[in-house]
């Protein structure tokens, strides 16, 4: 009886050890997957600088697939928003809006005011370029209201805003050049 109990304890302890090792490896794998996704985005932004939008789209989609597999929802929504900006640079408003709307829906589900502010800002910018000033103003006001009431304003959010701002300027510069 005692030997049976001791063997069972060893089995349970061994299983717990394996399970915690598996969880740790899973966490490391998730972390490395997020790092790879971040690196894809860094290269994608470089592609935008070089005006290689097709390559940027491919890289962002790779990053999105990685983030989806790890369940990193907020970063997924941020990168989806950036994909929308790149589609705008390619003058593909419908794909841009699809990205923005999915990103906005995700931001609402996870209750990220800062992310909602970014998406509203991009939607506002799109409407403005289409000459739909009323809609543009409404979404601009929504963006300002969300950002003003956001408690997130962290360094990570600031980095995202800088990236969005850079790509938005590229879009506006291109829009002015085409006018």
């Amino acid at each position: 009886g005692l030997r049976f109990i001791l063997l069972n304890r060893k089995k349970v302890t061994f299983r717990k050890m394996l399970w915690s090792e598996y969880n740790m490896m899973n966490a490391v794998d998730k972390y490395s997957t997020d790092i790879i996704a971040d690196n894809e985005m860094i290269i994608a932004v470089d592609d935008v600088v070089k005006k290689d939008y097709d390559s940027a789209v491919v890289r962002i989609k790779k990053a999105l697939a990685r983030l989806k597999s790890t369940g990193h929802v907020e970063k997924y929504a941020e990168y989806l928003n950036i994909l929308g900006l790149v589609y705008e640079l390619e003058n593909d408003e419908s794909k841009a809006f699809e990205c923005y709307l999915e990103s906005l829906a995700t931001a609402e589900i996870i209750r990220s005011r800062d992310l909602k502010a970014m998406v509203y800002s991009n939607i506002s910018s799109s409407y403005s370029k289409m000459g739909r000033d009323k809609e543009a103003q409404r979404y601009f006001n929504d963006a300002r209201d969300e950002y003003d009431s956001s408690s997130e304003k962290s360094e990570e959010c600031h980095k995202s805003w800088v990236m969005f701002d850079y790509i938005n300027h590229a879009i506006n510069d291109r829009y002015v050049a085409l006018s």
Side-chain angles (χ1 to χ4, degrees):
L2 184 58
R3 186 174 178 180
F4 177 75
I5 292 171
L6 290 176
L7 283 174
N8 271 346
R9 279 192 186 157
K10 283 184 180 178
K11 282 182 187 175
V12 168
T13 303
F14 183 68
R15 282 187 189 131
K16 284 181 182 175
M17 230 169 52
L18 283 177
W19 183 248
S20 78
E21 201 171 297
Y22 168 78
N23 283 336
M24 200 177 336
M25 286 178 67
N26 213 10
V28 167
D29 187 45
K30 182 177 180 178
Y31 177 75
S32 63
T33 299
D34 283 358
I35 296 286
I36 293 167
D38 289 344
N39 288 335
E40 288 286 356
M41 281 305 294
I42 290 167
I43 297 168
V45 170
D46 285 342
D47 289 340
V48 169
V49 170
K50 296 174 198 166
K51 296 182 177 20
D52 186 357
Y53 306 127
D54 291 337
S55 179
V57 166
V58 168
R59 289 192 182 281
I60 295 169
K61 284 183 175 182
K62 282 183 187 176
L64 288 168
R66 288 188 179 281
L67 292 171
K68 198 172 204 174
S69 74
T70 62
H72 199 148
V73 179
E74 185 163 11
K75 191 178 283 191
Y76 176 84
E78 287 176 13
Y79 287 6
L80 192 60
N81 198 18
I82 293 170
L83 180 59
L85 291 170
V86 176
Y87 280 135
E88 273 198 58
L89 286 167
E90 291 187 315
N91 296 314
D92 194 336
E93 296 296 326
S94 69
K95 282 185 181 176
F97 268 92
E98 284 176 29
C99 291
Y100 297 152
L101 294 176
E102 184 180 343
S103 185
L104 182 59
T106 304
E108 287 176 355
I109 290 168
I110 62 174
R111 296 179 183 186
S112 173
R113 298 190 91 134
D114 202 60
L115 183 54
K116 281 172 64 175
M118 284 187 238
V119 178
Y120 284 147
S121 174
N122 291 334
I123 291 172
S124 171
S125 178
S126 290
Y127 276 133
S128 178
K129 280 182 266 177
M130 289 187 259
R132 295 173 65 181
D133 295 333
K134 273 188 178 177
E135 290 97 335
Q137 188 61 48
R138 190 185 112 223
Y139 279 98
F140 173 78
N141 291 338
D142 289 346
R144 188 192 56 224
D145 293 346
E146 289 295 336
Y147 190 71
D148 285 346
S149 58
S150 173
S151 61
E152 296 171 32
K153 298 177 187 153
S154 66
E155 183 179 334
E156 189 66 31
C157 290
H158 177 69
K159 285 179 190 174
S160 293
W161 271 102
V162 168
M163 198 170 358
F164 283 114
D165 191 50
Y166 175 80
I167 294 175
N168 259 324
H169 281 297
I171 292 168
N172 287 331
D173 291 347
R174 181 183 172 129
Y175 178 68
V176 167
L178 294 173
S179 297

